[in-house]
Every structure is written in C-alpha cells, then in structure tokens.
Amino acid sequence: MKTTVAATQFACTDDREKNLATAERVIRAAAKQGANIILIQELFETPYFCKEHNPDYFSLALPIEENPAVRKFQSLARELNVVLPASVFEREGNAFYNTVAMVDADGSVLGTYRKAHIPESPGYHEKFYFSPGDTGFKVWKTRFGTLGVAICWDQWFPESARAMALLGAEILFYPTAIGAEPQDPGIDSRDHWQRAMQGHSASNIMPLVASNRIGTEKGERWTVTYYGSSFITDQTGALLQQADRSNEAILTATLDLEAIRNYRNAWGVFRDRRPELYGPLLTLDGHTKR
C-alpha cells in the first residue's frame, strides 16, 4: 500500500479561532496535494503557553469530546478522506494532559495518547501544566496505515519510538513545539533535534514525520523563536523533505508501506532483539533493586 504523508508548520496567534482556521487551510492544501495523513504541530490552538507558570492558562483545557479542534478535525477527516492526529490540551476531571486524539479518515476518534515525558526548562515549563501521560505508547490501525504518534519531548527518548515500533507502527509521527533556549541564545538545538529522530527512524527502519511551529512568541519572562524545520524521513532515517526555519510549509512524501515492511523484515533488527538483557532500561540508574 502506498500512503502519502504531510508534515506542516505555521505560526500561531493569540486568536484560537484564527489558529484553527489556519490549521484547516493547511490541511485542505495538503489534502489537495494528495496527502492521506496530515500532521499539525503540537498545541496549535494557541501560542505555546508553557513559556512560564501562569494558572490562567488552565482555562484553555477541555475534555476531548468538547474540544473544537477535535470536532473540526473529525469533520475535515470525513470530508477530505484524510487521517488527522490532533494535538490538544486535555482536561479530564481535575487532571490535565498534553494529548493527541487520533482521528481516522471516517471522522472517528480511534483513541488518545497522553504525552509520557514532560519537560521542565526555561521557556518549556510543561510540568506546571501537564500530568505525565497514563495511556502508555499507542499505535492505531487507520485507513492509510498503522501509525505511532508521540509528542515533542517524547522524541528525545528512543524507548518511545521502539515501543511504538514493537506495537506494530509503520510510520512514526511527532507533533512538536521547539525553538530557542531563551536562557542561552548560543544554543541552537535544531540539528540535534533532527538527528535524534532520524536515529529513531533508522533504528526502527520506518519513516518518520515531524511537524514543528514557527514564529516568535513573547511570554511574561521568556521569548522563544521556534525554528520550524519540519521534516519527513525515509525508512533509513534519510531526509526526504525538510522545511526552512521561518516560513509556513506543507511537505509531502509518498511511502510504499509494503516495500518498507519487506525491507524492515529482511534487516532483522526485531528478530535479533534480546529483551531478556534489557533490564537496566526498566530502572532510572541502570541497576536492579539492591
């Protein structure tokens, strides 16, 4: 089966409805280019509010079934016959999560993934807002392939990608919001960011799609310029498409999932795994209980 994927990027404003309209415009344009699965960036409904601690932002969170972005994506998916992972700020009871709702091409929500790894650093104060995800890593059998989706900081952890691969993912997707490190303007993590995910793609022998935001967003203390550079890899980790740092973009690539599966099976990386030796991965310090 051949599937066309799209990575996208755009700048967000303080107007939630305007951001949703931008996402719709980008999705429609990607679908017109033949995309079957379209990835929009992390938390696209608003500016990235985690730049500082501000309890007012908890009011942005909604239950999945009440979220206007999820509803809009369901309508677009049905109309355009596309799969749309939707990155949203979820409220469930008195808990808050950074969540992806997986919308299949018939408009149904197949389930949700809640971000497992929650960062805490200048300009990226997510631990104030989000509880660690409790869903475990997830994959979904969609109309256009079996997809694994994790979120931003998850992309730095090879365990996330490997878990999704073991669960049967055929393509890995990462919506993200990353840019400058405001405490040190000398840090530019763009290439490191890309190489980490290219490694996941290569090690698991499957394509990967990453969508980042662009633009400069000012907070009360920190100002962050997001470096875009959304990209798509092939099954060896090589870049097929890459956006620039500052312009809105839609990238597409057509993937032959059957041919990639045959290549992955022949390579033997899953055949030759030794899970009985991987006990240190189940600990924080590499040691079993003393």
Side-chain angles (χ1 to χ4, degrees):
M1 181 176 72
K2 290 188 177 180
T3 292
T4 299
V5 297
T8 67
Q9 62 185 40
F10 56 85
C12 294
T13 74
D14 291 323
D15 186 331
R16 195 169 188 169
E17 291 186 3
K18 183 176 180 180
N19 295 330
L20 187 52
T22 299
E24 178 176 356
R25 174 175 55 78
V26 168
I27 288 167
R28 289 186 179 278
K32 192 171 183 179
Q33 294 180 29
N36 306 119
I37 309 164
I38 304 164
L39 184 65
I40 301 297
Q41 64 217 34
E42 181 187 20
L43 298 173
F44 66 91
E45 293 178 271
T46 65
Y48 179 76
F49 52 85
C50 308
K51 291 185 291 298
E52 55 258 325
H53 294 186
N54 185 337
D56 292 343
Y57 290 130
F58 285 105
S59 65
L60 297 172
L62 292 167
I64 293 297
E65 61 274 11
E66 296 177 17
N67 186 284
V70 175
R71 291 176 176 174
K72 173 61 71 174
F73 278 28
Q74 289 182 278
S75 175
L76 288 169
R78 281 191 296 267
E79 176 190 347
L80 301 173
N81 190 36
V82 295
V83 176
L84 299 172
S87 172
V88 297
F89 187 11
E90 179 192 6
R91 184 182 79 238
E92 179 65 29
N94 287 311
F96 297 84
Y97 301 98
N98 188 336
T99 298
V100 163
M102 177 58 72
V103 181
D104 204 357
D106 62 357
S108 62
V109 176
L110 299 181
T112 59
Y113 164 70
R114 290 169 171 167
K115 187 173 183 177
H117 303 95
I118 309 298
E120 179 62 30
S121 63
Y124 303 90
H125 293 289
E126 294 197 16
K127 279 187 165 63
F128 182 73
Y129 297 98
F130 309 127
S131 292
D134 57 0
T135 59
F137 300 106
K138 305 287 286 290
V139 301
W140 292 274
K141 291 184 177 180
T142 75
R143 184 171 297 176
F144 298 109
T146 303
L147 315 182
V149 183
I151 305 169
C152 201
W153 191 231
D154 289 329
Q155 68 208 355
W156 294 94
F157 297 85
E159 297 89 347
S160 305
R162 179 49 57 89
M164 291 186 286
L166 290 172
L167 289 168
E170 295 177 299
I171 313 170
L172 301 175
F173 291 82
Y174 290 93
T176 188
I178 188 170
E181 302 296 328
Q183 79 283 8
D184 186 350
I187 297 175
D188 182 355
S189 65
R190 197 282 300 270
D191 293 349
H192 185 187
W193 169 76
Q194 286 189 333
R195 285 193 295 267
M197 285 181 280
Q198 286 178 267
H200 303 333
S201 172
S203 295
N204 292 291
I205 312 182
M206 62 186 57
L208 185 149
V209 181
S211 292
N212 192 20
R213 67 175 60 205
I214 56 172
T216 297
E217 298 179 7
K218 294 183 178 180
E220 295 170 12
R221 180 180 181 188
W222 301 115
T223 295
V224 178
T225 297
Y226 301 91
Y227 49 57
S229 305
S230 300
F231 65 93
I232 303 169
T233 74
D234 70 6
Q235 69 274 15
T236 72
L239 292 173
L240 294 174
Q241 297 282 353
Q242 177 182 324
D244 66 21
R245 289 173 174 259
S246 57
N247 292 294
E248 185 175 299
I250 299 168
L251 312 173
T252 63
T254 299
L255 308 170
D256 187 332
L257 297 184
E258 183 177 359
I260 292 169
R261 184 183 308 112
N262 290 337
Y263 181 86
R264 183 167 56 247
N265 291 342
W267 204 253
V269 296
F270 293 97
R271 176 198 65 208
D272 296 338
R273 292 184 69 250
R274 297 290 307 280
E276 72 276 14
L277 303 180
Y278 303 156
L281 297 181
L282 301 178
T283 71
L284 286 176
D285 65 1
H287 297 285
T288 57
K289 291 181 180 180
R290 294 179 175 84

